[in-house]
Amino acid sequence: MTSNAIEPTNRNLYALFRSGFADRLDHPFLIIPGGATLTYGDVETRAMHMAGALTMLGVATGDHVVVQIDKSSDGVALYLACLRMGVVFVTLNTAYTPDEVAFFLGDAQPTVFVCRPADAATLQPFADEAGAKLVTLGVDADGTLAEATDTAPKIVDIVDSKGTDIACMLYTSGTTGRSKGAMLTHDGLAATAKGLHEVWGWQRDDVLLHVLPIFHVHGLFVALHPAMLGGSSVLFHPKFELDATLAALPDATVMMAVPTIYNRLLQADQFTPEQCASMRVFTSGSAPLAADKHEDFARKSGHVVLNRYGMTEAGIITSSPLDGERPAGTVGFAMPGLELRVVDDTNQPMPEGEPGMVQIKGDTLFAGYWQLPEKTASEFTDDGFFITGDIGRLDAEGRLTLDGRSGDMIISGGFNVYPREVELCINEAEGVFESAVVGLPHDDLGEGVTAFVVLTSEGSANAESIEEAIGSRLARFKQPKRYVFIDELPRNAMSKVQKVALRRDNADLYST
Ligand code: MCA
């Protein structure tokens, strides 16, 4: 049985989801391990009251609400409240430091900033600076926003949105190290949700095992959205924890995760075909799944992982088929309605099997970077294709294999890390002359953030002193796992740092 979703006239994304669960308000939606089970009706009612609380805080349609909170059912209700109100939901990685949050608040200029109760005192000055009201939301329905919601009126209307209205804004960094707000529309997110619902054969009685954060595309749009569209249940884990995940597998039918999570399952004796007997599909993305791990996974679980390829700016771009071959190392075929090409420097299609730049055009694409029209324009070709920055090749059937990235972005445990941002911080540390940051093969995280550092002539910096200097400025996951001190950085004739050489000559740093 598939979703009852019909095409509502109101293009508000919430209206689309509701058409999928309207007849299932008593059906379990968020099943929290060792905790409550909330039905679709419970979460919707909470979202209506939360919309009332936000309205009383002065939030209006079109405003930005920035959120940095731990994963919780109230966090989902807050997201749905923003959708219903036509408010732009801007969610931040909980690992971001106050310095990083200060940048996002200044850039996004929210009416309200929702943070964890424990962070309120530290972040209040940054909210004040940005002119945002600060409220708090904890994981046990605690915090000032939760309290306000308990007594706020219900707002039962869903704002009539245009499909081109912005629903969410997610920050993604770039080669310059400056984060950019990717504006995602109701229609764009709806296209991704409907595409995944179709391509992954979503069943209303599916049970999604959800162990990812919901501050990124993967956990929020790729996982939660198709589940809501189907009115399906979600085993809503606060975060990935190996034993809890293994224990939940027999109750689930669908799991989505990053390769690091699957790598860890592979190491567990309890990860067996019997433990996975109820599972229908394991999807993997946000980082490449190594071919050997893909094969190990099939041997251990009896399931062939379904790889897919996505980006914050584009949602899911390609997916391996639900029924059909899923060769290791490939990421499948372009999603329905998406045009994909692999081209050379003149935007001419590459011959079959030859690597080139992946470019895409379609309904799931973002509406641009917030307040950066020139930067946005520079990432599109004259004929309207978005330049992904990823290098790939197509086989005779149109199946995509990714070969890497044209820039030097690192993907660590599924999180994107932009070397320039890290280098700028390290270079300001006492005693450092310059640095180069690269990703090196790391069995658990995929790539380990690694810094090659040249000291000033009288410099006496070391790993501890640099960590001290950058600790409050960069989220932990961005901070180098290793520091390698060298006399000089390898450079070519144009004195450009040769990161390829650093990667080649240090490939086994984490395996020795
Ligand atoms: C945690 N740590 C990390 C990472 N995660 N270090 C590097 N890279 C990471 N990804 C560090 C913490 O800072 C901490 O360091 C130590 O590891 C243990 O922290 P803990 O929270 O316990 O980490 P974990 O449980 O080991 O987390 C690993 C994880 C997590 C479960 C793989 O990183 C995760 O949930 N990743 C999913 C990311 C995601 O959702 N990506 C989707 C992006 P210390 O002890 O020193 O403080 S969306 C996307 O990419 C596109 C659009 C797409 O296609 O999906």
Side-chain angles (χ1 to χ4, degrees):
M1 215 185 2
T2 54
S3 159
N4 282 9
I6 48 171
E7 206 56 54
T9 50
N10 179 357
R11 309 294 289 191
N12 186 308
L13 188 61
Y14 189 94
L16 173 70
F17 294 147
R18 192 170 205 287
S19 69
F21 61 73
D23 61 342
R24 293 189 129 195
L25 293 177
D26 296 334
H27 188 75
F29 172 23
L30 299 177
I31 302 169
I32 296 156
T37 289
L38 297 164
T39 66
Y40 275 93
D42 294 334
V43 178
E44 177 166 78
T45 303
R46 187 70 173 164
M48 290 174 177
H49 284 289
M50 204 164 270
L54 290 172
T55 302
M56 290 166 70
L57 285 162
V59 176
T61 298
D63 287 2
H64 287 174
V65 169
V66 172
V67 176
Q68 188 189 38
I69 56 174
D70 290 329
K71 184 177 176 181
S72 70
S73 58
D74 254 6
V76 175
L78 172 58
Y79 170 53
L80 297 179
C82 289
L83 285 183
R84 293 173 61 92
M85 295 172 71
V87 163
V88 180
F89 184 75
V90 187
T91 180
L92 302 179
N93 189 320
T94 50
Y96 289 147
T97 64
D99 281 11
E100 291 166 309
V101 171
F103 167 78
F104 295 121
L105 291 175
D107 188 68
Q109 290 294 304
T111 306
V112 161
F113 171 49
V114 188
C115 73
R116 293 171 285 198
D119 294 341
T122 308
L123 298 176
Q124 185 66 59
F126 301 116
D128 296 344
E129 176 75 20
K133 286 194 191 93
L134 182 147
V135 291
T136 60
L137 194 60
V139 295
D140 299 318
D142 57 321
T144 55
L145 179 58
E147 286 148 24
T149 300
D150 294 343
T151 55
K154 274 197 315 190
I155 295 190
V156 296
D157 292 343
I158 301 169
V159 158
D160 215 337
S161 301
K162 294 196 303 296
T164 52
D165 288 347
I166 307 303
C168 298
M169 186 159 87
L170 294 190
Y171 277 92
T172 173
S173 284
T175 47
T176 59
R178 180 206 189 279
S179 287
K180 311 181 296 284
M183 298 184 286
L184 306 170
T185 65
H186 289 267
D187 270 0
L189 293 170
T192 291
K194 287 185 284 190
L196 293 177
H197 200 273
E198 176 195 334
V199 168
W200 291 352
W202 203 273
Q203 303 300 312
R204 302 200 85 193
D205 295 333
D206 267 327
V207 177
L208 169 68
L209 176 46
H210 194 306
V211 299
L212 291 166
I214 56 172
F215 48 69
H216 273 313
V217 168
H218 200 155
L220 188 56
F221 306 146
V222 178
L224 268 191
H225 283 185
M228 287 192 281
L229 197 50
S232 306
S233 297
V234 179
L235 303 179
F236 196 63
H237 288 214
K239 64 176 292 200
F240 169 68
E241 198 284 313
L242 183 60
D243 293 340
T245 301
L246 287 162
L249 282 168
D251 300 325
T253 62
V254 179
M255 178 174 177
M256 303 180 190
V258 297
T260 297
I261 290 173
Y262 289 142
N263 291 346
R264 294 187 187 175
L265 286 176
L266 277 174
Q267 294 162 45
D269 296 338
Q270 312 91 306
F271 190 59
T272 62
E274 295 71 28
Q275 198 69 11
C276 302
S278 70
M279 289 298 295
R280 157 170 95 76
V281 64
F282 289 90
T283 74
S284 178
S286 307
L289 176 67
D292 62 328
K293 304 285 187 196
H294 185 96
E295 278 135 21
D296 290 351
F297 196 94
R299 258 195 307 280
K300 271 212 87 171
S301 68
H303 288 266
V304 177
V305 167
L306 187 154
N307 265 327
R308 77 339 169 255
Y309 159 50
M311 280 181 83
T312 298
E313 291 89 338
I316 298 304
I317 297 167
T318 67
S319 172
S320 292
L322 192 64
D323 306 313
E325 288 293 298
R326 301 178 198 160
T330 66
V331 289
F333 303 93
M335 290 294 287
L338 188 89
E339 282 182 75
L340 182 145
R341 66 188 188 190
V342 171
V343 298
D344 62 17
D345 294 345
T346 63
N347 293 336
Q348 294 311 306
M350 296 301 291
E352 178 194 304
E354 288 298 308
M357 178 61 71
V358 177
Q359 296 183 350
I360 54 178
K361 184 191 280 191
D363 298 341
T364 61
L365 274 180
F366 72 137
Y369 297 115
W370 168 246
Q371 296 184 330
L372 295 171
E374 300 79 22
K375 178 62 185 161
T376 301
S378 71
E379 308 221 350
F380 284 85
T381 63
D382 294 343
D383 58 347
F385 277 79
F386 176 64
I387 305 162
T388 64
D390 291 313
I391 306 301
R393 52 198 147 92
L394 292 169
D395 68 11
E397 296 169 273
R399 182 185 277 111
L400 181 69
T401 297
L402 291 173
D403 293 309
R405 289 174 296 279
S406 61
D408 50 15
M409 182 183 81
I410 300 164
I411 305 182
S412 168
F415 287 142
N416 294 348
V417 179
Y418 294 83
R420 192 73 198 120
E421 185 181 11
V422 184
E423 289 159 358
L424 290 173
C425 284
I426 294 174
N427 293 348
E428 290 177 19
E430 183 72 33
V432 172
F433 174 65
E434 63 176 348
S435 64
V437 171
V438 298
L440 294 176
H442 187 289
D443 196 50
D444 181 38
L445 298 169
E447 292 184 293
V449 178
T450 311
F452 292 84
V453 180
V454 177
L455 301 180
T456 57
S457 49
E458 67 288 349
S460 59
N462 57 32
E464 291 69 34
S465 67
I466 297 173
E467 280 185 350
E468 176 71 28
I470 70 173
S472 66
R473 301 180 58 193
L474 285 176
R476 288 285 294 167
F477 72 87
K478 297 178 185 174
Q479 297 178 27
K481 296 298 182 213
R482 291 279 181 91
Y483 290 88
V484 181
F485 293 89
I486 53 179
D487 295 333
E488 61 177 353
L489 295 176
R491 284 187 152 84
N492 65 11
M494 267 105 67
S495 84
K496 186 171 167 18
V497 175
Q498 294 299 283
K499 291 193 171 184
V500 171
L502 290 172
R503 283 191 281 264
R504 181 196 59 227
D505 300 344
N506 298 279
D508 60 359
L509 184 70
Y510 293 99
S511 51
T512 48

